[in-house]
DNA sequence: CAAAATACGTAACATACGGTACAGCGCTCC
DNA sequence: GGAGCGCTGTACCGTATGTTACGTATTTTG
């Protein structure tokens, strides 16, 4: 049963030539607003010519463009009248691979934040925003990208942010630069990496404040950590999900940014100038 | 403060002559759909003549009818994009920094997947699992970690997966290795990077299949992409959120893994042995 | 590798849309 | 009761819009 134009597009996008597919993607990307504008605007947004747009709506089964627009408007009207219908993500029963995966991920996030108090987040953000020391970030085999992501953002708003990459010997030697005013952010989920644990222990001995992102079973590093963020990772997949930790990371980035607003704004402006 | 056209009308309907008032009432009655139709339809519905509609629109402060329609559309678009905003007129009282951020992120994910059909995901997964060619991944300043994350997983279950890192000159030269059987996964959100666009164009010319992860405004690379994944990125923070794209990436990783189950399992076993 | 089929964009076309001038009508206020 | 003002609709105009035909480029197939 196809009830919306969006579904219609999803159903037929596979059979469309490149140009029309771009039209379809553009429409879906900001659905349905672009479809309400003129053919010229639509074609410009999609980067194709007007006739391609018309062929596109024709392939969807409409006689002409106005008829297509009317259909979109009717759909919109129905949607607006019953806000309840906006039950995002149609609980499509047949559901392929995506829905259960997404549902599990959303649940993970809710659970993760449920066990994470505002105060704890504020504490950590405060620690990261405290500019008397340096910030080091490192992750495991699959979580290192999260460390990179966080480092990329933090480095924009403050100095002395370092992502520890490369071979173990490389970052192990950076220990001498670390002291009790510094913060070490570690990402470590199953299967926990010994090398990280060794590193964390040594850093801890030097008085470094450790912020640990781990899963709900807690990496052994937790015993050395000052702050532990335990994210849910279970999803119906062969892999664990780091999405919840990713969102916590983004939240922290946002909080730190807010705290460093004044200084951060100046830094960003300077950076822009340097380009 | 007047923020919507509906309020504007309520504010001025008292000063309007009879005909225009009927126009106003008709518009408010089925707001805002009638305003998106033609002047003729509007006038017929209101039972007045076309010029009366135009005078009505003019009295609201618009230069012409299209400008009025655009304004209505913008309003609608804003309303559609943040379903939460409507119900959150009075946000949770205690509200620290986390909840709104989390809510927005969850909404982003739901919206992102809403516009992403199972079939499209399956298509992309199939392409990534097709082992006749190589897979290259690359990202922008803040999204490159996502490319790394995906590469780290894909590389475990199949060969010929390469993350393009380092200086532009480094990966630009890898173009010679790319052909029409290969897949290039690009992450590019605002502010879009020119270097990536150049790279994508050249890869496209070589017949490489491009899978693009971008935001809802679509990176210019979309014109070269065979598959476009448009994720929502808006959150109450100084930064855009890549969390939705991250979840899509994890979903794809899971789907590809499932498709390569047999081969992948063997590979993983071999890898374990190698340790 | 050749040939056919398909898809795409340019350019010309017709229509219908928004806009405007003008005349008729009703209303109000001397 | 008459004169003035203002609102409304009819009729017409210019134009921007949707539409179509055709030539070229690209891909697919034998």
């Amino acid at each position: 049963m196809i009830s919306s134009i969006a579904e219609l597009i999803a159903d037929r996008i596979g059979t469309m030539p490149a140009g029309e597919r771009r039209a379809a993607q553009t429409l879906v990307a900001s659905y349905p607003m672009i479809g309400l504008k003129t053919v010229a605007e639509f074609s410009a947004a999609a980067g194709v010519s007007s006739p391609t747009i018309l062929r596109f709506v024709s392939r969807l089964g409409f006689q002409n463009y106005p008829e297509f627009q009317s259909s979109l408007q009717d759909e919109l009207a129905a949607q607006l009248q019953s806000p309840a219908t906006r039950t995002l993500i149609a609980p499509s029963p047949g559901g392929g691979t995506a829905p259960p995966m997404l549902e599990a991920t959303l649940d993970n996030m809710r659970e993760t934040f449920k066990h994470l108090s505002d105060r704890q987040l504020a504490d950590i953000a405060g620690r990261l925003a405290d500019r008397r020391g340096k910030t080091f970030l490192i992750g495991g085999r699959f979580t290192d990208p999260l460390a990179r992501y966080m480092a990329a953002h933090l480095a924009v708003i403050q100095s002395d942010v370092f992502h520890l990459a490369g071979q173990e010997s490389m970052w192990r030697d950076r220990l001498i630069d670390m002291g009790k005013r510094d913060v070490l952010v570690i990402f470590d989920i199953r299967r926990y990496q010994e090398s990280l644990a060794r590193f964390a222990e040594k850093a801890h001995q030097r008085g470094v404040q450790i912020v640990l992102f781990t899963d709900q079973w807690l990496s052994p590093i937790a015993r050395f950590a000052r702050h532990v963020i335990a994210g849910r990772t279970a999803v119906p997949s062969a892999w664990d999900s780091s999405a919840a930790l990713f969102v916590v990371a983004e939240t922290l980035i946002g909080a730190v940014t807010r705290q460093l607003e004044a200084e951060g704004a100046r830094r960003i402006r300077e950076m822009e100038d340097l380009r």
Side-chain angles (χ1 to χ4, degrees), chain A:
Chain A
M1 177 56 190
I2 290 176
S3 60
S4 82
I5 295 182
E7 291 178 48
L8 192 64
I9 292 172
D11 188 55
R12 305 199 185 172
I13 196 172
T15 73
M16 291 181 188
E20 299 178 28
R21 189 173 320 135
R22 271 161 60 188
Q25 285 162 345
T26 314
L27 174 59
V28 170
S30 60
Y31 189 83
M33 299 317 295
I34 290 199
L36 299 177
K37 303 191 185 290
T38 68
V39 174
E41 283 177 285
F42 192 166
S43 67
V48 299
S49 67
S50 317
T52 300
I53 298 297
L54 296 175
R55 280 188 283 263
F56 163 67
V57 304
S58 161
R59 190 181 301 261
L60 290 179
F62 297 98
Q63 291 297 326
N64 48 30
Y65 194 72
E67 183 182 310
F68 162 73
Q69 285 189 319
S70 295
S71 189
L72 272 182
Q73 287 185 8
D74 292 347
E75 201 178 305
L76 243 178
Q79 207 174 342
L80 287 176
Q81 285 188 9
S82 56
T85 320
R86 285 187 58 77
T87 32
L88 319 151
I89 291 296
S92 56
T97 84
M101 180 84 179
L102 176 62
E103 273 315 314
T105 302
L106 297 179
D107 272 344
N108 282 340
M109 291 175 188
R110 284 193 212 98
E111 276 299 314
T112 299
F113 274 84
K114 192 190 278 181
H115 299 299
L116 204 60
S117 70
D118 290 354
R119 156 171 257 129
Q120 199 176 347
L121 279 173
D123 280 357
I124 301 175
R127 175 68 57 192
L128 290 175
D130 180 358
R131 287 299 73 211
R132 286 175 303 189
K134 302 182 283 295
T135 303
F136 299 90
L137 300 101
I138 192 172
R141 186 172 174 203
F142 295 120
T143 48
D144 195 54
L146 300 199
R148 280 179 189 272
Y149 186 80
M150 203 162 169
H153 285 83
L154 292 182
V156 173
I157 53 173
Q158 57 189 5
S159 56
D160 295 331
V161 174
F162 307 99
H163 172 244
L164 302 174
Q167 312 215 342
E168 179 172 356
S169 54
M170 291 288 289
W171 38 265
R172 202 177 42 209
D173 293 347
R174 298 294 300 271
L175 274 169
I176 29 176
D177 299 333
M178 303 188 193
K180 51 177 53 176
R181 322 202 112 167
D182 302 327
V183 181
L184 172 60
V185 180
I186 307 183
F187 292 79
D188 188 34
I189 65 175
R190 290 188 311 183
R191 307 160 45 171
Y192 312 115
Q193 286 180 227
E194 267 189 55
S195 57
L196 283 180
R198 284 195 302 270
F199 186 71
E201 182 169 8
K202 294 199 180 106
H204 173 68
Q205 285 165 1
R206 295 184 65 89
V208 178
Q209 308 255 4
I210 295 181
V211 176
L212 173 68
F213 284 71
T214 184
D215 52 35
Q216 67 206 89
W217 298 282
L218 300 191
S219 149
I221 297 177
R223 59 184 296 121
F224 310 121
R226 179 133 169 76
H227 297 283
V228 176
I229 293 165
R232 301 291 169 127
T233 56
V235 283
S237 162
W239 309 94
D240 280 337
S241 165
S242 303
L245 292 179
F246 188 90
V247 173
V248 175
E250 281 197 338
T251 305
L252 276 177
I253 291 169
V256 173
T257 305
R258 217 169 299 120
Q259 288 203 19
L260 293 179
E261 211 157 40
E263 185 189 350
R266 186 175 47 73
R267 249 182 91 84
I268 291 179
R269 227 177 304 115
E270 279 182 34
M271 275 196 180
E272 306 264 326
D273 290 347
L274 284 176
R275 297 216 178 164

